[in-house]
């Protein structure tokens, strides 16, 4: 991702909490880029809830939905034992977070404003 910053593990929890605060009310796409299976969408422009890093369980959890009658269920995507987290700077057209797990599978979380034309 252009304009990204690879974070030190000590900054993951704080940085992802900040991403959650900055992107409340936006839509999110979650793409899994598995070297063996290929590129798959897990969520496409659903209402963003949170992204957090839990150091105790060594897991990144991304939650979408659960905030409206249209999307009443919360979907959680987990990245166990991440080895890398990159956060796109605010200078990029579409802010994003990329995580890589110990098997080399990358998860790309891309944020879109509500005005981007997708339904919420």
């Amino acid at each position: 991702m252009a304009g990204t910053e690879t974070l030190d593990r000590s900054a993951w929890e704080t940085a992802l909490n900040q991403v959650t605060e900055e992107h409340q009310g936006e839509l999110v796409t979650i793409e899994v880029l598995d070297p063996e299976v290929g590129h798959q969408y897990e969520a496409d422009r659903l209402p963003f809830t949170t992204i957090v890093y839990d150091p105790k369980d060594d897991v990144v959890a991304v939650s979408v939905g659960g905030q409206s009658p249209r999307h009443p269920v919360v979907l959680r995507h987990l990245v166990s034992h991440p080895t890398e987290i990159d956060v796109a700077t605010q200078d990029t057209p579409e802010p994003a977070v990329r995580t890589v797990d110990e098997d080399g599978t990358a998860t790309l979380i891309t944020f879109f404003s509500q005005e981007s034309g997708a339904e919420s």
Side-chain angles (χ1 to χ4, degrees):
M1 294 183 318
T4 62
E5 174 186 359
T6 301
L7 303 173
D8 290 329
R9 183 175 288 269
S10 63
W12 289 358
E13 191 172 3
T14 301
L16 294 182
N17 288 340
Q18 183 176 352
V19 168
T20 294
E21 288 178 25
E22 290 175 358
H23 296 285
Q24 287 296 312
E26 294 185 356
L27 302 175
V28 68
T29 297
I30 301 172
E31 301 171 70
V32 179
L33 312 168
D34 188 309
E36 293 181 23
V37 179
H39 181 131
Q40 300 178 359
Y41 282 91
E42 187 166 307
D44 189 17
R45 296 193 186 217
L46 292 176
F48 173 66
T49 305
T50 62
I51 182 169
V52 296
Y53 173 67
D54 177 355
K56 180 181 178 213
D57 292 327
D58 193 25
V59 66
V60 172
V62 183
S63 301
V64 298
Q67 299 175 348
S68 70
R70 180 165 171 81
H71 301 285
V73 177
V74 173
L75 167 74
R76 287 192 177 88
H77 175 80
L78 304 176
V79 178
S80 298
H81 310 293
T83 59
E84 182 179 330
I85 296 178
D86 304 323
V87 177
T89 63
Q90 293 186 358
D91 298 334
T92 61
E94 296 169 345
V97 173
R98 183 178 71 102
T99 65
V100 180
D101 70 15
E102 62 189 353
D103 295 332
T105 299
T107 300
L108 182 63
I109 303 105
T110 307
F111 299 93
F112 303 90
S113 68
Q114 289 283 358
E115 296 81 40
S116 65
E119 294 181 43
S120 57

